[in-house]
Amino acid sequence: MTTTMIFAGSGGQGIQFSGKQTAKTAMHQGKNVTFLPSYGPEMRGGTSNCTVVISDGEIGSPSVTSPDIAVVMNLPSFDKFEPRVKAGGLLVCDTTMIDKKTERADIDTLCVPASELASENGLTGFANVIILGAIIKKTGLFTFDEFLGLLVGSIPESKAALREKNEKALRMGYEF
Amino acid sequence: MKGNEAIAEAAINAGCLYYFGYPITPQTEISEYMAKRMPKVGGLCLQAESEISAINMTMGAAASGARAMTSSSSPGVSLKSEGISYIAGCDLPCLIVNVQRGGPGLGGIQPSQSDYYQATRGVGHGDLRLIVLAPSSVQEMASLTAEAFDLADTYRMPAMLLADGALGQMMEPVDFSLFKKREVPEKEWAANGHGGKRKKNIINSLFIDPQELENSVVARYERYKKVEENEVKYEEFMTDDADIVLVAFGITARVAKSAITAVRESGIKAGLLRPITLWPFPKKEIGALADRARAFLTVEMNMGQMIDDVRLAVGGKRPVDGYTRTGGIIPSVDEVEDKIRRMAASL
Protein backbone atom coordinates (compact mmCIF):
# COMPACT_ATOMS: atom_id res chain seq x y z
CA MET A 1 0.00 0.00 0.00
CA THR A 2 1.17 3.52 -0.78
CA THR A 3 0.02 6.76 0.84
CA THR A 4 0.96 10.10 -0.68
CA MET A 5 0.71 13.31 1.30
CA ILE A 6 1.30 16.99 0.59
CA PHE A 7 1.69 19.47 3.45
CA ALA A 8 1.33 23.13 2.48
CA GLY A 9 1.08 26.50 4.16
CA SER A 10 3.10 29.61 4.93
CA GLY A 11 6.77 29.61 5.77
CA GLY A 12 7.02 29.46 9.56
CA GLN A 13 3.89 27.36 10.17
CA GLY A 14 5.99 24.26 10.60
CA ILE A 15 5.03 22.66 7.32
CA GLN A 16 8.42 21.05 6.73
CA PHE A 17 8.50 19.90 10.34
CA SER A 18 5.11 18.21 9.99
CA GLY A 19 6.22 16.40 6.84
CA LYS A 20 9.52 15.30 8.35
CA GLN A 21 7.90 14.04 11.53
CA THR A 22 5.36 12.05 9.51
CA ALA A 23 8.12 10.58 7.36
CA LYS A 24 10.24 9.76 10.39
CA THR A 25 7.40 7.96 12.15
CA ALA A 26 6.65 5.92 9.02
CA MET A 27 10.35 5.04 8.76
CA HIS A 28 10.27 3.74 12.32
CA GLN A 29 7.32 1.56 11.34
CA GLY A 30 9.66 -0.07 8.85
CA LYS A 31 7.98 1.50 5.82
CA ASN A 32 9.71 2.85 2.75
CA VAL A 33 9.40 6.60 2.83
CA THR A 34 10.44 9.72 0.92
CA PHE A 35 10.28 13.33 2.06
CA LEU A 36 10.63 15.93 -0.69
CA PRO A 37 10.70 19.55 0.50
CA SER A 38 10.21 22.70 -1.47
CA TYR A 39 13.46 24.55 -0.98
CA GLY A 40 14.71 28.03 -1.57
CA PRO A 41 13.15 31.32 -0.57
CA GLU A 42 10.30 29.59 1.35
CA MET A 43 12.30 29.41 4.54
CA ARG A 44 12.20 33.22 4.57
CA GLY A 45 8.40 33.36 4.35
CA GLY A 46 5.97 32.84 1.50
CA THR A 47 4.45 29.50 0.62
CA SER A 48 6.03 26.29 1.73
CA ASN A 49 5.17 22.72 0.91
CA CYS A 50 6.55 19.21 1.08
CA THR A 51 5.60 15.80 -0.19
CA VAL A 52 5.73 12.58 1.80
CA VAL A 53 5.30 9.14 0.26
CA ILE A 54 4.86 6.13 2.53
CA SER A 55 4.83 2.64 1.04
CA ASP A 56 5.24 -1.04 1.79
CA GLY A 57 6.90 -1.44 -1.61
CA GLU A 58 9.56 0.42 -3.57
CA ILE A 59 8.76 4.11 -3.99
CA GLY A 60 9.01 5.41 -7.54
CA SER A 61 8.52 9.12 -7.91
CA PRO A 62 8.91 11.10 -4.67
CA SER A 63 7.11 13.96 -6.40
CA VAL A 64 3.31 13.70 -6.47
CA THR A 65 0.68 15.63 -8.43
CA SER A 66 -2.50 14.18 -6.87
CA PRO A 67 -1.99 13.20 -3.24
CA ASP A 68 -4.15 10.89 -1.14
CA ILE A 69 -3.99 13.45 1.65
CA ALA A 70 -3.46 17.21 1.33
CA VAL A 71 -2.86 19.23 4.49
CA VAL A 72 -3.38 22.94 3.83
CA MET A 73 -2.77 25.64 6.38
CA ASN A 74 -3.38 28.82 4.38
CA LEU A 75 -5.65 30.03 1.59
CA PRO A 76 -3.16 29.98 -1.32
CA SER A 77 -2.35 26.37 -0.43
CA PHE A 78 -6.06 25.50 -0.33
CA ASP A 79 -6.52 27.04 -3.78
CA LYS A 80 -3.53 25.18 -5.15
CA PHE A 81 -3.99 21.73 -3.67
CA GLU A 82 -7.74 21.31 -3.05
CA PRO A 83 -8.43 20.56 -6.73
CA ARG A 84 -5.54 18.11 -6.83
CA VAL A 85 -6.59 15.74 -4.03
CA LYS A 86 -7.18 12.27 -5.44
CA ALA A 87 -10.85 11.22 -5.63
CA GLY A 88 -11.61 9.40 -2.41
CA GLY A 89 -8.78 11.27 -0.72
CA LEU A 90 -8.68 13.53 2.30
CA LEU A 91 -8.35 17.31 2.55
CA VAL A 92 -7.20 18.63 5.91
CA CYS A 93 -7.69 22.36 6.58
CA ASP A 94 -6.73 24.79 9.29
CA THR A 95 -10.08 26.61 9.20
CA THR A 96 -8.74 29.57 11.18
CA MET A 97 -6.62 30.44 8.18
CA ILE A 98 -9.01 29.32 5.44
CA ASP A 99 -12.54 30.69 5.18
CA LYS A 100 -13.46 28.60 2.14
CA LYS A 101 -15.00 25.15 2.00
CA THR A 102 -14.47 22.58 -0.69
CA GLU A 103 -17.36 21.94 -3.04
CA ARG A 104 -15.99 18.57 -4.05
CA ALA A 105 -18.21 15.67 -3.09
CA ASP A 106 -15.64 13.02 -4.02
CA ILE A 107 -13.24 13.79 -1.19
CA ASP A 108 -13.38 13.61 2.57
CA THR A 109 -12.52 16.67 4.66
CA LEU A 110 -11.08 17.23 8.09
CA CYS A 111 -11.60 20.79 9.29
CA VAL A 112 -9.74 21.91 12.39
CA PRO A 113 -9.55 25.51 13.62
CA ALA A 114 -5.99 24.70 14.60
CA SER A 115 -4.50 28.19 14.81
CA GLU A 116 -7.41 29.37 16.98
CA LEU A 117 -7.16 26.35 19.26
CA ALA A 118 -3.46 26.96 19.53
CA SER A 119 -3.68 30.62 20.48
CA GLU A 120 -6.53 30.00 22.94
CA ASN A 121 -4.56 27.33 24.76
CA GLY A 122 -1.14 28.92 25.02
CA LEU A 123 0.10 26.84 22.11
CA THR A 124 0.85 29.57 19.58
CA GLY A 125 3.12 28.09 16.93
CA PHE A 126 1.83 24.55 17.52
CA ALA A 127 -1.13 24.63 15.12
CA ASN A 128 0.76 22.18 12.91
CA VAL A 129 1.06 19.68 15.76
CA ILE A 130 -2.66 20.01 16.52
CA ILE A 131 -3.34 19.21 12.87
CA LEU A 132 -1.02 16.21 13.06
CA GLY A 133 -2.93 14.90 16.06
CA ALA A 134 -6.20 15.20 14.15
CA ILE A 135 -4.71 13.44 11.11
CA ILE A 136 -3.45 10.41 12.99
CA LYS A 137 -6.82 10.01 14.68
CA LYS A 138 -8.68 10.32 11.38
CA THR A 139 -6.42 8.16 9.21
CA GLY A 140 -5.05 5.63 11.66
CA LEU A 141 -1.69 5.84 9.86
CA PHE A 142 0.06 5.85 13.23
CA THR A 143 -0.90 5.24 16.82
CA PHE A 144 -0.92 8.24 19.11
CA ASP A 145 1.86 6.79 21.24
CA GLU A 146 4.28 5.94 18.43
CA PHE A 147 3.82 9.40 16.91
CA LEU A 148 4.20 11.14 20.26
CA GLY A 149 7.25 9.08 21.16
CA LEU A 150 9.23 10.29 18.15
CA LEU A 151 7.84 13.82 18.42
CA VAL A 152 9.07 14.40 21.95
CA GLY A 153 12.00 12.04 21.54
CA SER A 154 13.74 14.55 19.29
CA ILE A 155 13.51 17.31 21.91
CA PRO A 156 16.29 17.42 24.52
CA GLU A 157 15.33 16.61 28.13
CA SER A 158 16.38 20.11 29.11
CA LYS A 159 13.51 21.59 27.14
CA ALA A 160 10.71 20.09 29.22
CA ALA A 161 8.31 22.94 28.42
CA LEU A 162 8.67 22.31 24.70
CA ARG A 163 8.02 18.61 25.22
CA GLU A 164 4.88 19.38 27.21
CA LYS A 165 3.54 21.80 24.61
CA ASN A 166 4.06 19.31 21.80
CA GLU A 167 2.29 16.59 23.74
CA LYS A 168 -0.57 18.90 24.69
CA ALA A 169 -0.99 20.07 21.09
CA LEU A 170 -0.89 16.56 19.66
CA ARG A 171 -3.44 15.35 22.20
CA MET A 172 -5.69 18.34 21.53
CA GLY A 173 -5.75 17.50 17.83
CA TYR A 174 -6.22 13.80 18.51
CA GLU A 175 -9.17 14.43 20.77
CA PHE A 176 -10.69 17.16 18.60
CA MET B 1 18.66 11.78 6.15
CA LYS B 2 18.93 14.40 3.40
CA GLY B 3 20.65 13.33 0.18
CA ASN B 4 23.32 15.98 0.60
CA GLU B 5 24.08 14.82 4.12
CA ALA B 6 24.25 11.22 2.95
CA ILE B 7 26.97 12.20 0.45
CA ALA B 8 29.00 13.92 3.15
CA GLU B 9 28.68 11.10 5.67
CA ALA B 10 29.51 8.46 3.06
CA ALA B 11 32.60 10.42 1.97
CA ILE B 12 33.86 10.56 5.54
CA ASN B 13 33.16 6.85 5.98
CA ALA B 14 35.12 6.22 2.79
CA GLY B 15 38.18 7.88 4.32
CA CYS B 16 37.90 11.29 2.70
CA LEU B 17 39.87 13.65 4.93
CA TYR B 18 39.84 16.80 2.81
CA TYR B 19 36.76 18.67 1.69
CA PHE B 20 36.92 22.01 -0.09
CA GLY B 21 33.73 23.82 -0.96
CA TYR B 22 31.99 27.04 -1.67
CA PRO B 23 28.30 27.45 -0.84
CA ILE B 24 25.64 27.26 -3.52
CA THR B 25 22.02 26.07 -3.41
CA PRO B 26 20.96 23.24 -3.56
CA GLN B 27 24.08 21.50 -2.21
CA THR B 28 25.18 23.67 0.71
CA GLU B 29 24.21 21.00 3.27
CA ILE B 30 27.29 19.06 2.11
CA SER B 31 29.55 21.90 3.28
CA GLU B 32 27.51 22.36 6.41
CA TYR B 33 27.75 18.68 7.33
CA MET B 34 31.45 18.55 6.52
CA ALA B 35 32.12 21.61 8.66
CA LYS B 36 30.51 19.85 11.62
CA ARG B 37 31.96 16.37 11.11
CA MET B 38 35.42 16.76 9.56
CA PRO B 39 37.16 18.27 12.60
CA LYS B 40 35.84 15.36 14.70
CA VAL B 41 37.49 12.75 12.47
CA GLY B 42 40.77 14.64 12.16
CA GLY B 43 39.99 15.85 8.66
CA LEU B 44 39.79 19.26 7.08
CA CYS B 45 36.74 21.11 5.81
CA LEU B 46 37.66 24.40 4.23
CA GLN B 47 35.39 26.99 2.68
CA ALA B 48 37.49 28.39 -0.12
CA GLU B 49 37.17 31.93 -1.47
CA SER B 50 35.69 30.60 -4.70
CA GLU B 51 34.84 27.41 -6.57
CA ILE B 52 38.06 27.79 -8.53
CA SER B 53 40.14 27.77 -5.35
CA ALA B 54 38.18 24.82 -4.01
CA ILE B 55 38.90 22.63 -7.03
CA ASN B 56 42.58 23.54 -7.02
CA MET B 57 42.84 22.79 -3.30
CA THR B 58 41.22 19.44 -4.06
CA MET B 59 43.88 18.87 -6.72
CA GLY B 60 46.65 19.60 -4.22
CA ALA B 61 45.23 17.27 -1.60
CA ALA B 62 44.69 14.53 -4.19
CA ALA B 63 48.29 14.94 -5.41
CA SER B 64 49.51 14.19 -1.90
CA GLY B 65 47.68 10.86 -2.09
CA ALA B 66 44.81 11.76 0.22
CA ARG B 67 41.16 11.15 -0.53
CA ALA B 68 39.81 14.59 -1.36
CA MET B 69 36.58 16.02 -2.68
CA THR B 70 34.76 19.16 -3.65
CA SER B 71 31.09 19.78 -4.33
CA SER B 72 29.01 22.40 -6.02
CA SER B 73 25.95 22.95 -8.17
CA SER B 74 25.83 23.65 -11.89
CA PRO B 75 27.19 27.23 -12.21
CA GLY B 76 29.86 26.40 -9.66
CA VAL B 77 30.91 23.29 -11.55
CA SER B 78 31.42 25.41 -14.66
CA LEU B 79 33.87 27.48 -12.64
CA LYS B 80 35.68 24.32 -11.61
CA SER B 81 36.07 23.06 -15.15
CA GLU B 82 39.63 24.29 -15.66
CA GLY B 83 40.76 22.60 -12.47
CA ILE B 84 38.98 19.38 -13.40
CA SER B 85 40.87 19.28 -16.68
CA TYR B 86 44.19 19.74 -14.83
CA ILE B 87 43.25 16.96 -12.40
CA ALA B 88 42.48 14.64 -15.32
CA GLY B 89 45.75 15.67 -17.00
CA CYS B 90 47.65 14.91 -13.79
CA ASP B 91 45.93 11.53 -13.40
CA LEU B 92 44.70 12.36 -9.92
CA PRO B 93 41.83 10.56 -8.23
CA CYS B 94 39.27 12.69 -6.43
CA LEU B 95 35.53 13.18 -6.18
CA ILE B 96 33.58 16.09 -7.63
CA VAL B 97 29.91 16.31 -6.68
CA ASN B 98 27.44 18.22 -8.83
CA VAL B 99 23.96 18.62 -7.32
CA GLN B 100 22.46 20.06 -10.47
CA ARG B 101 20.14 23.04 -10.74
CA GLY B 102 18.58 24.67 -13.77
CA GLY B 103 20.73 26.52 -16.28
CA PRO B 104 22.28 28.01 -18.36
CA GLY B 105 23.84 30.96 -16.59
CA LEU B 106 22.76 31.40 -13.01
CA GLY B 107 19.59 29.61 -14.09
CA GLY B 108 17.45 28.70 -11.11
CA ILE B 109 17.76 26.71 -7.94
CA GLN B 110 15.30 23.91 -8.71
CA PRO B 111 16.41 20.40 -9.75
CA SER B 112 17.78 19.75 -13.21
CA GLN B 113 19.78 17.26 -15.26
CA SER B 114 20.99 19.78 -17.78
CA ASP B 115 24.68 19.22 -17.05
CA TYR B 116 24.62 15.77 -18.67
CA TYR B 117 26.62 16.99 -21.66
CA GLN B 118 29.03 18.82 -19.39
CA ALA B 119 29.63 15.78 -17.20
CA THR B 120 29.92 13.22 -19.98
CA ARG B 121 31.47 15.34 -22.72
CA GLY B 122 32.82 18.74 -21.92
CA VAL B 123 33.69 19.06 -18.28
CA GLY B 124 37.03 20.61 -19.16
CA HIS B 125 39.33 21.18 -22.12
CA GLY B 126 41.34 18.39 -23.67
CA ASP B 127 40.88 14.68 -24.29
CA LEU B 128 39.48 13.51 -21.01
CA ARG B 129 36.79 11.50 -19.30
CA LEU B 130 35.35 11.45 -15.84
CA ILE B 131 33.71 8.44 -14.28
CA VAL B 132 30.17 9.77 -13.87
CA LEU B 133 27.80 8.14 -11.38
CA ALA B 134 24.12 9.06 -11.23
CA PRO B 135 22.34 8.21 -7.97
CA SER B 136 18.58 7.76 -7.93
CA SER B 137 17.89 7.58 -4.19
CA VAL B 138 19.37 8.88 -0.98
CA GLN B 139 20.76 5.37 -0.38
CA GLU B 140 22.64 5.65 -3.68
CA MET B 141 23.82 9.18 -2.87
CA ALA B 142 25.75 7.42 -0.12
CA SER B 143 26.73 4.13 -1.76
CA LEU B 144 27.83 5.72 -5.04
CA THR B 145 29.91 8.30 -3.17
CA ALA B 146 31.86 5.45 -1.59
CA GLU B 147 32.06 3.66 -4.94
CA ALA B 148 33.24 6.85 -6.70
CA PHE B 149 36.25 7.14 -4.38
CA ASP B 150 37.16 3.49 -4.96
CA LEU B 151 36.77 3.80 -8.73
CA ALA B 152 38.81 7.02 -8.82
CA ASP B 153 41.65 5.37 -6.88
CA THR B 154 41.50 2.17 -8.92
CA TYR B 155 41.76 3.95 -12.26
CA ARG B 156 43.67 7.01 -11.05
CA MET B 157 41.18 9.47 -12.47
CA PRO B 158 38.58 11.93 -11.18
CA ALA B 159 35.04 10.73 -10.60
CA MET B 160 31.87 12.79 -10.54
CA LEU B 161 28.67 12.17 -8.65
CA LEU B 162 25.96 13.75 -10.80
CA ALA B 163 22.88 14.32 -8.65
CA ASP B 164 20.18 16.99 -8.72
CA GLY B 165 18.49 19.38 -6.32
CA ALA B 166 15.60 17.02 -5.55
CA LEU B 167 17.92 14.17 -4.54
CA GLY B 168 20.07 16.59 -2.58
CA GLN B 169 17.14 18.00 -0.62
CA MET B 170 14.94 14.97 -0.17
CA MET B 171 15.07 12.66 2.82
CA GLU B 172 14.95 8.89 2.76
CA PRO B 173 16.27 6.20 5.07
CA VAL B 174 19.94 5.29 4.48
CA ASP B 175 21.89 2.27 5.65
CA PHE B 176 25.64 2.94 5.67
CA SER B 177 26.50 -0.67 6.44
CA LEU B 178 25.48 -1.91 3.01
CA PHE B 179 28.58 -0.85 1.09
CA LYS B 180 31.16 -3.15 -0.41
CA LYS B 181 34.65 -1.72 -0.29
CA ARG B 182 37.11 -2.48 -3.06
CA GLU B 183 40.79 -3.27 -2.79
CA VAL B 184 42.47 -0.19 -4.21
CA PRO B 185 46.10 0.09 -5.36
CA GLU B 186 48.80 1.80 -3.28
CA LYS B 187 49.36 5.40 -4.38
CA GLU B 188 53.04 5.04 -5.29
CA TRP B 189 52.77 8.13 -7.48
CA ALA B 190 51.77 10.44 -4.61
CA ALA B 191 53.78 13.63 -4.18
CA ASN B 192 54.09 13.41 -0.43
CA GLY B 193 57.88 13.68 -0.08
CA HIS B 194 58.20 10.03 0.96
CA GLY B 195 59.98 11.22 4.08
CA GLY B 196 62.98 12.21 1.91
CA LYS B 197 63.85 8.51 1.61
CA ARG B 198 63.50 8.16 -2.12
CA LYS B 199 63.25 10.13 -5.32
CA LYS B 200 60.48 12.73 -5.35
CA ASN B 201 57.40 12.12 -7.47
CA ILE B 202 56.43 14.91 -9.83
CA ILE B 203 52.82 15.47 -10.84
CA ASN B 204 52.43 17.40 -14.05
CA SER B 205 50.05 17.96 -16.93
CA LEU B 206 52.39 19.99 -19.18
CA PHE B 207 54.08 18.24 -22.11
CA ILE B 208 55.66 20.64 -24.59
CA ASP B 209 56.73 17.85 -26.93
CA PRO B 210 53.62 16.79 -28.91
CA GLN B 211 54.78 13.18 -29.11
CA GLU B 212 55.17 13.02 -25.38
CA LEU B 213 51.71 14.55 -24.89
CA GLU B 214 50.17 12.14 -27.36
CA ASN B 215 51.77 9.21 -25.53
CA SER B 216 50.42 10.40 -22.21
CA VAL B 217 46.89 10.83 -23.58
CA VAL B 218 46.94 7.46 -25.35
CA ALA B 219 48.11 5.76 -22.16
CA ARG B 220 45.26 7.43 -20.28
CA TYR B 221 42.76 6.26 -22.89
CA GLU B 222 44.01 2.68 -22.38
CA ARG B 223 42.86 3.06 -18.80
CA TYR B 224 39.57 4.61 -19.93
CA LYS B 225 39.05 1.50 -22.08
CA LYS B 226 39.39 -0.70 -19.00
CA VAL B 227 36.80 1.43 -17.22
CA GLU B 228 34.44 0.99 -20.16
CA GLU B 229 35.03 -2.78 -20.15
CA ASN B 230 34.64 -3.32 -16.41
CA GLU B 231 32.63 -0.62 -14.74
CA VAL B 232 29.35 -0.12 -16.58
CA LYS B 233 26.50 -0.09 -14.05
CA TYR B 234 22.80 0.00 -14.74
CA GLU B 235 19.47 -1.28 -13.46
CA GLU B 236 16.79 -2.93 -15.54
CA PHE B 237 13.14 -2.77 -14.53
CA MET B 238 10.52 -4.85 -16.39
CA THR B 239 12.56 -4.88 -19.60
CA ASP B 240 12.21 -8.63 -20.28
CA ASP B 241 9.08 -8.35 -22.40
CA ALA B 242 9.04 -4.57 -22.93
CA ASP B 243 7.91 -3.11 -26.24
CA ILE B 244 8.76 0.38 -25.08
CA VAL B 245 12.00 0.83 -23.16
CA LEU B 246 12.37 4.01 -21.17
CA VAL B 247 15.88 5.21 -20.45
CA ALA B 248 16.22 7.59 -17.52
CA PHE B 249 18.73 8.29 -14.77
CA GLY B 250 18.58 9.91 -11.35
CA ILE B 251 15.29 11.30 -10.09
CA THR B 252 13.51 10.96 -13.46
CA ALA B 253 14.18 7.20 -13.40
CA ARG B 254 11.89 7.03 -10.38
CA VAL B 255 9.18 9.01 -12.16
CA ALA B 256 9.62 6.60 -15.09
CA LYS B 257 9.21 3.58 -12.79
CA SER B 258 5.95 4.92 -11.40
CA ALA B 259 4.67 5.64 -14.91
CA ILE B 260 5.67 2.15 -16.10
CA THR B 261 3.90 0.50 -13.17
CA ALA B 262 0.77 2.51 -14.04
CA VAL B 263 0.72 1.73 -17.79
CA ARG B 264 1.45 -1.96 -17.15
CA GLU B 265 -1.94 -2.12 -15.42
CA SER B 266 -3.58 -1.36 -18.75
CA GLY B 267 -1.49 -3.92 -20.56
CA ILE B 268 1.15 -1.68 -22.11
CA LYS B 269 4.50 -3.44 -21.98
CA ALA B 270 6.93 -0.79 -20.90
CA GLY B 271 10.23 -1.19 -19.04
CA LEU B 272 13.13 0.90 -17.85
CA LEU B 273 16.87 0.82 -18.28
CA ARG B 274 18.43 3.12 -15.72
CA PRO B 275 22.07 3.98 -16.39
CA ILE B 276 23.90 4.25 -13.06
CA THR B 277 27.18 5.08 -14.76
CA LEU B 278 26.63 7.83 -17.33
CA TRP B 279 30.22 7.38 -18.34
CA PRO B 280 30.89 4.62 -19.10
CA PHE B 281 27.43 4.52 -20.67
CA PRO B 282 25.58 1.16 -20.87
CA LYS B 283 25.59 1.22 -24.65
CA LYS B 284 25.97 -2.55 -25.18
CA GLU B 285 23.03 -3.24 -22.91
CA ILE B 286 20.82 -0.70 -24.67
CA GLY B 287 22.01 -2.04 -28.02
CA ALA B 288 20.94 -5.53 -26.95
CA LEU B 289 17.49 -4.27 -25.94
CA ALA B 290 17.13 -2.67 -29.38
CA ASP B 291 16.95 -6.19 -30.82
CA ARG B 292 13.76 -7.00 -28.89
CA ALA B 293 12.06 -3.72 -27.95
CA ARG B 294 10.13 -1.71 -30.52
CA ALA B 295 10.78 1.86 -29.37
CA PHE B 296 12.80 3.84 -26.86
CA LEU B 297 11.90 6.85 -24.77
CA THR B 298 14.27 8.94 -22.69
CA VAL B 299 12.90 10.94 -19.78
CA GLU B 300 15.18 13.82 -18.85
CA MET B 301 15.18 17.13 -17.01
CA ASN B 302 16.92 18.96 -19.85
CA MET B 303 16.12 19.53 -23.51
CA GLY B 304 17.26 16.01 -24.46
CA GLN B 305 20.94 15.35 -23.85
CA MET B 306 21.26 11.66 -22.94
CA ILE B 307 19.04 10.92 -25.94
CA ASP B 308 22.18 11.29 -28.10
CA ASP B 309 23.88 8.43 -26.26
CA VAL B 310 20.75 6.29 -26.44
CA ARG B 311 20.50 6.92 -30.19
CA LEU B 312 24.16 5.93 -30.64
CA ALA B 313 23.56 2.76 -28.63
CA VAL B 314 20.36 1.87 -30.52
CA GLY B 315 22.23 2.48 -33.77
CA GLY B 316 19.18 3.43 -35.83
CA LYS B 317 17.48 0.06 -35.25
CA ARG B 318 14.48 1.56 -33.43
CA PRO B 319 12.92 4.99 -33.01
CA VAL B 320 14.17 6.93 -29.98
CA ASP B 321 11.92 9.66 -28.59
CA GLY B 322 12.36 11.93 -25.62
CA TYR B 323 10.09 13.36 -22.94
CA THR B 324 11.82 16.36 -21.44
CA ARG B 325 11.11 19.11 -18.95
CA THR B 326 13.67 21.73 -18.08
CA GLY B 327 14.19 24.88 -16.07
CA GLY B 328 13.85 23.08 -12.73
CA ILE B 329 10.64 21.14 -13.36
CA ILE B 330 10.39 17.47 -12.47
CA PRO B 331 8.21 15.68 -15.04
CA SER B 332 5.07 14.34 -13.39
CA VAL B 333 4.14 10.67 -13.46
CA ASP B 334 0.94 11.58 -15.36
CA GLU B 335 2.84 13.35 -18.12
CA VAL B 336 5.22 10.45 -18.64
CA GLU B 337 2.35 7.95 -18.48
CA ASP B 338 0.50 9.93 -21.13
CA LYS B 339 3.57 10.01 -23.36
CA ILE B 340 4.00 6.23 -23.08
CA ARG B 341 0.31 5.68 -23.89
CA ARG B 342 0.58 7.85 -26.99
CA MET B 343 3.71 5.99 -28.09
CA ALA B 344 2.04 2.63 -27.50
CA ALA B 345 -0.95 3.70 -29.59
CA SER B 346 1.27 4.54 -32.55
CA LEU B 347 3.37 1.35 -32.45
Side-chain angles (χ1 to χ4, degrees), chain A residues 20 27 33-37 39-41 58-63 65, chain B residues 26 109-111 165 169-173 251 254-255 257-258 332-333:
Chain A
K20 265 188 223 172
M27 182 177 89
V33 56
T34 61
F35 165 82
L36 181 67
Y39 60 90
E58 185 186 345
I59 298 173
S61 177
S63 148
T65 317
Chain B
I109 59 170
Q110 297 303 323
Q169 295 297 321
M170 74 186 251
M171 293 174 105
E172 276 183 308
I251 196 82
R254 299 179 63 148
V255 176
K257 269 190 191 174
S258 293
S332 75
V333 176

Side-chain angles (χ1 to χ4, degrees), chain B residues 120-151:
Chain B
T120 62
R121 306 280 197 284
V123 74
H125 62 278
D127 285 313
L128 71 92
R129 288 293 194 181
L130 296 185
I131 294 170
V132 184
L133 299 163
S136 187
S137 63
V138 176
Q139 180 68 39
E140 279 192 351
M141 291 288 249
S143 61
L144 294 180
T145 293
E147 176 73 355
F149 275 113
D150 283 354
L151 285 171

Side-chain angles (χ1 to χ4, degrees), chain A residues 75-91:
Chain A
L75 193 58
S77 301
F78 177 95
D79 290 339
K80 185 170 178 187
F81 295 108
E82 181 262 350
R84 290 208 209 156
V85 178
K86 206 181 272 178
L90 174 68
L91 178 71

